[in-house]
Amino acid sequence: MNATDAVRFWDEMHAARTAATDPQPNARLTETVTGLSPGDALDLGCGDGGDALWLAGQGWHVTAADISAVAVERLAALARSHGLGDRVTAGRHDLRTSFPHGEFDLICAHYLHTPFNLDRAAVLRSAAHALRPGGRLLVVDHGSAAPWSWNQDPDVRYPSPREVAADIDLDAATWTVERADAPRRIATGPDGRTAEVTDHVLLIRRTA
Ligand SMILES: C[S@@+](CC[C@H](N)C(=O)[O-])C[C@H]1O[C@@H](n2cnc3c(N)ncnc32)[C@H](O)[C@@H]1O
C-alpha cells in the first residue's frame, strides 16, 4: 500500500460520512483542557474537527492537520460557519512526510490510528519538540475496538500509554509524563449505538 492508497482510503472514509454540522469534542480533550489558559494548539489527525472547533470556542488558536482534503475542507467551512474562521487554520498534512510548522502550548492526537504505515513515535516525538516550555502533548489512543470501528482485527494489540511513552523516548530532563492510564467510557457510534470502550491516555508536559 502506498501514499496514494492512504489518501484515498481516508478521503473515502470521510466522504462516506455525512458532513457533521456540530461535531463534538473528545471527552479526554475537554477534561484535560478545561481550566487551562488558551494559547496555540495543534490537532494531529483532526478528522471531522470536533476537537479543533471546541478548542477555538474556548479561545485557542488552532492549527488542525489531516491527511484527508475532505476532512480539512469540511473543517475550514465549519469553522467559518461557526464564526471561528480566524481561530482555526486547517491544512492537509500527511504526517508521514509533513509536520505543521510552529510552536504550540497544546498538541493533541486523538485516535491517530491508520491501517497504513505511520511512524507514530516519530510523529509524536516531533510534536513533543514543537511544544513551548510548559506546553502539553495529549495522546489518546483506542484501548479497545468499538463495534462500529473500521478495525475489527481480532489480533490487534493496543500498546499501553507507558509503551507509547517509551516509544517516543523523550529526555526526562525536558519532558515529564503527567498522566498514563486506561479509563473506560460509554461511546456513541455514528448510528447512535452505544458501547463501553477503553481509552489509552498519555499526557506529556514539556518542562524546559
Ligand atoms: C480514527 S480518525 C480520528 C479523528 C479525530 N482525531 C477524532 O478523534 O475523531 C484518524 C484520523 O487521522 C487521519 N490520518 C490518518 N493517517 C494520517 C496521516 N498519515 N497523516 C495525517 N492524518 C492522518 C485520518 O484522516 C482521520 O481523520
Side-chain angles (χ1 to χ4, degrees):
M1 293 194 281
N2 59 34
T4 315
D5 291 333
V7 172
R8 190 183 307 126
F9 174 89
W10 283 107
D11 267 341
E12 289 177 358
M13 183 73 75
H14 288 290
R17 295 173 58 176
T18 308
T21 52
D22 191 20
Q24 294 302 298
N26 283 296
R28 306 304 168 206
L29 179 76
T30 59
E31 72 189 23
T32 303
V33 171
T34 298
L36 297 184
S37 299
D40 295 310
L42 170 62
D43 185 6
L44 298 172
C46 61
D48 65 10
D51 290 343
L53 290 173
W54 181 82
L55 284 166
Q58 302 293 307
W60 293 77
H61 285 88
V62 186
T63 300
D66 202 284
I67 193 173
S68 164
V70 174
V72 163
E73 285 163 16
R74 282 180 175 176
L75 172 54
L78 262 185
R80 286 193 296 274
S81 72
H82 284 233
L84 297 168
D86 57 339
R87 294 223 195 110
V88 176
T89 303
R92 207 187 82 72
H93 289 267
D94 182 344
L95 293 168
R96 293 173 297 185
T97 53
S98 166
F99 194 90
H101 290 292
E103 291 187 329
F104 303 94
D105 305 292
L106 173 74
I107 302 179
C108 56
H110 280 79
Y111 314 112
L112 185 58
H113 303 293
T114 175
F116 298 88
N117 287 335
L118 173 65
D119 186 346
R120 278 181 19 117
V123 172
L124 297 175
R125 201 172 302 119
S126 296
H129 282 270
L131 289 173
R132 295 194 176 108
R136 290 176 173 87
L137 169 62
L138 174 63
V139 183
V140 181
D141 291 336
H142 292 302
S144 67
W148 52 83
S149 167
W150 54 266
N151 189 353
Q152 294 297 335
D153 178 355
D155 296 327
V156 73
R157 192 179 161 276
Y158 300 98
S160 72
R162 287 283 170 195
E163 287 173 313
V164 174
D167 282 348
I168 306 174
D169 193 22
L170 296 169
D171 183 347
T174 306
W175 293 271
T176 186
V177 172
E178 286 195 330
R179 178 178 178 182
D181 63 356
R184 300 177 76 78
R185 67 184 163 86
I186 301 297
T188 305
D191 57 2
R193 265 186 304 168
T194 59
E196 189 177 58
V197 295
T198 301
D199 288 326
H200 283 173
V201 181
L202 175 64
L203 182 64
I204 290 172
R205 185 163 197 200
R206 182 166 189 162
T207 53

